[in-house]
Amino acid sequence: MESNLSGLVPAAGLVPALPPTVTLGLTAAYTALYALLFFSVYAQLWLVLLYGHKRLSYQTVFLALCLLWAALRTTLFSFYFRDTPRANRLGPLPFWLLYCCPVCLQFFTLTLMNLYFAQVTTGTGVVGVGGQAEGSKGVMGISAPRWCSRPRRSVGQR
């Protein structure tokens, strides 16, 4: 039986796709962008705390997920400055945290945005005191835009 590996290029013949200077420049640019994103989201979370907005809302959960994602990406790309081969040979837990967890966080963020969009477009409201709807307030307390709210009919009205 002939092996399927006979047509592969030997490892000695492989060269990097980009020169090291370009790789270093891209690493620096990505690290700076992720750090900028981290600090801007961090400032937004402090403003939520400072101005007394609702602590558990779509906005704060979204910002917390973005903060964690940006922190993990900044950490990963900062490792490339010190020792690129070591950053590629991490143990199981650091590898999962730096490479796999950000992808899961992106999925959670997309799911949260879909949930918010579905809630806003359907006009799901929270029923208040006496069975009256409190406008288009969502589960997490985010108000829907005015164009999204439908007029409510009384039980006797048709």
Side-chain angles (χ1 to χ4, degrees):
M1 293 203 91
E2 192 173 316
S3 173
N4 289 337
L5 301 176
S6 60
L8 294 179
V9 177
L14 294 177
V15 294
L18 297 172
T21 55
V22 173
T23 306
L24 183 64
L26 286 174
T27 302
Y30 278 126
T31 305
L33 288 173
Y34 290 140
L36 182 66
L37 178 66
F38 176 83
F39 287 118
S40 65
V41 170
Y42 188 70
Q44 286 291 317
L45 281 171
W46 270 108
L47 289 174
V48 165
L49 185 67
L50 180 68
Y51 290 115
H53 292 287
K54 193 167 184 175
R55 301 277 193 275
L56 184 62
S57 65
Y58 281 106
Q59 179 187 12
T60 56
V61 173
F62 177 76
L63 286 173
L65 286 172
C66 286
L67 184 74
L68 186 57
W69 182 86
L72 289 172
R73 284 297 178 186
T74 305
T75 304
L76 173 66
F77 278 88
S78 66
F79 276 159
Y80 281 117
F81 280 121
R82 294 187 195 149
D83 192 9
T84 302
R86 185 171 175 227
N88 291 329
R89 289 180 282 109
L90 295 170
L93 182 63
F95 179 85
W96 188 86
L97 274 175
L98 295 177
Y99 287 98
C100 303
C101 187
V103 176
C104 296
L105 290 173
Q106 286 175 329
F107 175 75
F108 295 151
T109 304
L110 179 65
T111 304
L112 184 70
M113 286 191 299
N114 284 335
L115 179 65
Y116 175 71
F117 179 73
Q119 194 170 16
V120 166
T121 56
T122 59
T124 310
V126 176
V127 177
V129 179
Q132 299 280 331
E134 295 180 0
S136 294
K137 287 271 189 183
V139 173
M140 296 278 202
I142 300 292
S143 297
R146 271 195 165 326
W147 55 267
C148 193
S149 60
R150 290 181 247 145
R152 308 274 183 199
R153 292 185 185 167
S154 329
V155 177
Q157 248 182 351
R158 291 219 173 199

